[in-house]
Amino acid sequence: MGKFMDVAANRDYSKEWQAPGSFPWIFQRPKEPIAQREISVRDNYIRCAKGQQPYWMPAYFYESNIVWPDAMEEHPVPEVDGYDWWGVYWMMVESAGGMITKPDTRTITDFAKWKEEVEWPDLSLVDFKTDGQKIQQMLDPERPHIYECVEGIFERLHEMIPFEESLMAFYEEPELLEEFFQKMADYKIESTEKVLKYYGRVDGVLYHDDWGTQRAGFFSNEMFREQIMPATKRFLDYLKSKVEFIELHSCGKNIQYVPMMLEMGIDMWTPQLFINEPDYLHATYGKEMTFTFPLMLDPSWQETEIREAVRGFVDHFGENGRVMCWIMTENFNAEQEAIARDELYHYSLAYYNKLYGRE
């Protein structure tokens, strides 16, 4: 057992490990129950994610619970500067609100030597059972439970070696790259099995793999289809057999990959803000895929203006029943958010009752 896996194997998972204020810590916090709704919050969320005529438009994040295991050390635990169980060194960047790998990180000397040098985590050594019991206590049974599956198949490659070398492997070592991605898919399936076994009900999986820059995807569509899709689809096919829906987190202007996202069975995508055009996505793919789009509340808005903005959002994006509303305020204004959520529920409920003939 390597030194990084040794730390993970000997951690007391009955304790809370994440640093207060970090994303894992925020995601793990218990949420107040949601008042009685027309149907359960869980069932309505799944309806929206799968395009099955929801009763109201979900308020993204607020209406779900995230399953973020402390036992899955894809990042350092706690989430401060340090090593994950692959031996990758991570640094917290406060201005970005998250972690990045240390520049020029290298856990293998050369990609061509990954079979000899990559130290794969031995999951049998980790106390998922105790961690799962702890995490389950913080989950609301009325909300959908979504496993946050971070560090996707491509991301893990460029976390082990410099990014430019990862891209060169697509050209120089395509067969060896395919073997790596398929081996990583095996690992993703094995690790997800632990979550499904020990963390209670899991309704959906939020799979992370960033595929683009602010201008376009990293890969041509042909390269994506030939070298990213096969292993990714195999993992997603496994997920489809186990959970109700798959959501994708993929930063970058990745509109070009939406047809292939659909082929791989992805139900829902939360596109990176401000660089992917909501109107285009809604008009082009809105009947086939669920999207989360932001509703930005101006800090000067009073209740009347907030409610008017929410109604406009529903009128604009509600027609297919496949949009969730991500209510955003400056400095997490709880009062503005509460008003917006109230209007979102009541107005979209009436909207969908009329749309689907439930009146």
Side-chain angles (χ1 to χ4, degrees), residues 302-322:
Q302 300 302 308
E303 180 171 349
T304 300
E305 295 161 301
I306 293 170
R307 293 186 183 275
E308 182 179 352
V310 170
R311 292 193 295 270
F313 187 95
V314 174
D315 289 342
H316 192 69
F317 291 119
E319 61 185 332
N320 300 319
R322 300 208 68 164

Side-chain angles (χ1 to χ4, degrees), residues 125-282:
L125 301 172
V126 180
D127 188 1
F128 288 99
K129 182 177 180 180
T130 297
D131 191 52
Q133 291 170 342
K134 175 189 69 182
I135 296 295
Q136 283 185 70
Q137 294 175 3
M138 295 186 274
L139 302 177
D140 177 1
E142 291 299 309
R143 284 176 162 90
H145 300 169
I146 303 171
Y147 165 45
E148 193 100 5
C149 182
V150 300
E151 308 321 307
I153 289 169
F154 172 64
E155 286 179 328
R156 182 49 68 184
L157 171 65
H158 68 72
E159 289 159 2
M160 292 179 166
I161 56 177
F163 193 86
E164 61 273 16
E165 292 185 29
S166 299
L167 296 181
M168 288 303 298
F170 282 76
Y171 296 95
E172 295 177 342
E173 303 281 0
E175 293 181 0
L176 197 59
L177 181 69
E178 174 65 13
E179 288 187 70
F180 176 87
F181 284 157
Q182 292 292 350
K183 176 73 171 176
M184 191 58 66
D186 290 338
Y187 161 75
K188 283 296 183 184
I189 291 170
E190 181 187 6
S191 59
T192 302
E193 285 175 342
K194 299 293 187 182
V195 176
L196 297 177
K197 181 176 181 179
Y198 292 114
Y199 291 77
R201 190 190 81 231
V202 177
D203 300 301
V205 172
L206 175 48
Y207 175 64
H208 287 233
D209 209 8
D210 293 343
W211 292 330
T213 70
Q214 289 192 319
R215 294 184 295 177
F218 293 132
F219 325 97
S220 69
N221 288 359
E222 293 76 14
M223 182 176 283
F224 186 96
R225 181 175 292 279
E226 292 174 6
Q227 295 175 280
I228 295 293
M229 269 187 73
T232 302
K233 187 176 187 303
R234 185 164 69 84
F235 173 52
L236 298 184
D237 284 346
Y238 163 78
L239 295 182
K240 293 291 279 191
S241 72
K242 299 295 183 180
V243 299
E244 292 281 353
F245 65 91
I246 300 171
E247 179 185 355
L248 174 68
H249 171 101
S250 187
C251 287
K253 188 170 184 177
N254 294 329
I255 290 175
Q256 69 192 78
Y257 303 136
V258 173
M260 286 170 280
M261 295 178 195
L262 291 166
E263 286 184 48
M264 290 190 288
I266 292 166
D267 300 290
M268 176 176 169
W269 179 34
T270 301
Q272 185 176 346
L273 304 178
F274 312 123
I275 61 173
N276 293 280
E277 298 90 340
D279 285 350
Y280 175 83
L281 288 169
H282 175 64

